[in-house]
Amino acid sequence: MKKDDILRKVQYEKKDEREEQVKTKAFHVGWISVTAVMLFLIIWRSIHNESANDILMILMAQTSATSFYQYTKMPEKKMYLMGGILGIIGLGLALASLLSQYGVY
């Protein structure tokens, strides 16, 4: 392909690489912030002898979804698969604990 053809194709797609990079970084910063707030709430609730199972479920769901997505994109990195599996186990345990708290399980 000639340089002009490549340039025309990129301009036609209207895909700004920098914008995509900023968007990705913003999502990372956002999830780190949300995770930090959730961890603070879990600690705060444990200090006051309150259950934090609901917050823990959200955190485990986010962790496992992220890990499984990364594993699908990079299957050679088994650490992401293990993170996803551990996240699902944590999610299940938090759900079981929450249900037992309400007398369902």
Side-chain angles (χ1 to χ4, degrees), residues 34 50 100:
V34 167
E50 296 178 12
S100 69

Side-chain angles (χ1 to χ4, degrees), residues 38-53 55:
M38 284 184 197
L39 290 174
F40 170 76
L41 289 173
I42 289 169
I43 293 168
W44 184 262
R45 284 184 173 190
S46 69
I47 290 172
H48 294 284
N49 294 325
E50 296 178 12
S51 173
N53 292 328
I55 297 173

Side-chain angles (χ1 to χ4, degrees), residues 17-31:
E17 207 173 292
R18 182 176 182 276
E19 183 180 345
E20 291 296 319
Q21 197 173 31
V22 168
K23 211 183 289 186
T24 301
K25 183 73 171 180
F27 280 119
H28 286 261
V29 170
W31 273 114

Side-chain angles (χ1 to χ4, degrees), residues 29-99:
V29 170
W31 273 114
I32 289 170
S33 302
V34 167
T35 302
V37 169
M38 284 184 197
L39 290 174
F40 170 76
L41 289 173
I42 289 169
I43 293 168
W44 184 262
R45 284 184 173 190
S46 69
I47 290 172
H48 294 284
N49 294 325
E50 296 178 12
S51 173
N53 292 328
D54 51 348
I55 297 173
L56 191 58
M57 285 175 56
I58 296 168
L59 186 60
M60 290 295 105
Q62 184 267 334
T63 301
S64 59
T66 302
S67 294
F68 281 132
Y69 178 78
Q70 288 174 321
Y71 178 70
T72 59
K73 298 299 179 187
M74 297 178 283
E76 67 277 357
K77 300 213 175 186
K78 302 297 182 200
M79 192 61 141
Y80 294 131
L81 177 62
M82 290 301 299
I85 291 170
L86 290 174
I88 291 292
I89 291 170
L91 178 65
L93 291 173
L95 178 63
S97 179
L98 185 68
L99 291 176

